[in-house]
Amino acid sequence: MKNSFFRIAIVALASSFLANAFATPPVAPAAGAGGLSAAPYIVNSSCARPEYPKYSKESEEEGTATSEFVIDADGTIVSSRTVKSSGSRSLDNAALKGLSLCKFVPGSVNGKPVLAKTWVAYQFRLEDYLTK
């Protein structure tokens, strides 16, 4: 698979409103909860592998950074943040930066696109970045 380096877990949150840190309109409830018919997801072909930070490579840092994205009805990223750290700020920032360049398909309710949240987990493993 072309993007096998991605280990992406996308989960729509069960919240009907964004956290106070995001001053934006209400978000649709999670799929299967009488809310979203479909959760937002990444168009895999639109993503390039996030760059492995030089310091993290040299320090042999590895980990999984979990980011939360709020996706507008047109597929635009409204906001993003790290919700679970990899243990390395530079890996967390690299995941946010890289994944923010991806294209998203918006969530929908009854076939109509809506603002919704999704989580994306990206695993940084040194062996995936070694040149062969």
Side-chain angles (χ1 to χ4, degrees):
M1 187 161 119
K2 182 179 178 184
N3 290 318
S4 62
F5 55 84
F6 279 103
R7 286 171 180 68
I8 298 176
I10 298 181
V11 180
L13 299 179
S15 170
S16 62
F17 290 93
L18 289 169
N20 292 336
F22 300 105
T24 57
V27 175
L36 284 178
S37 304
Y41 62 91
I42 291 177
V43 177
N44 275 343
S45 62
S46 74
C47 290
R49 177 180 7 198
E51 188 174 324
Y52 214 114
K54 184 178 178 180
Y55 173 81
S56 295
K57 263 187 184 177
E58 291 169 354
S59 302
E60 298 183 357
E61 295 177 334
E62 295 184 314
T64 301
T66 304
S67 306
E68 176 185 81
F69 291 88
V70 177
I71 310 301
D72 207 346
D74 64 1
T76 303
I77 298 171
V78 175
S79 61
S80 62
R81 66 185 179 127
T82 300
V83 292
K84 185 175 181 191
S85 176
S86 64
S88 164
R89 183 171 291 184
S90 60
L91 292 179
D92 297 344
N93 290 339
L96 273 177
K97 181 180 177 184
L99 294 169
S100 291
L101 300 175
C102 298
K103 303 225 181 301
F104 285 81
V105 173
S108 64
V109 173
N110 298 325
K112 295 182 182 178
V114 295
L115 180 77
K117 285 190 214 181
T118 191
W119 286 1
V120 179
Y122 184 80
Q123 184 178 28
F124 285 92
R125 295 184 328 163
L126 289 168
E127 66 185 59
D128 294 339
Y129 285 82
L130 296 176
T131 323
K132 297 183 179 178

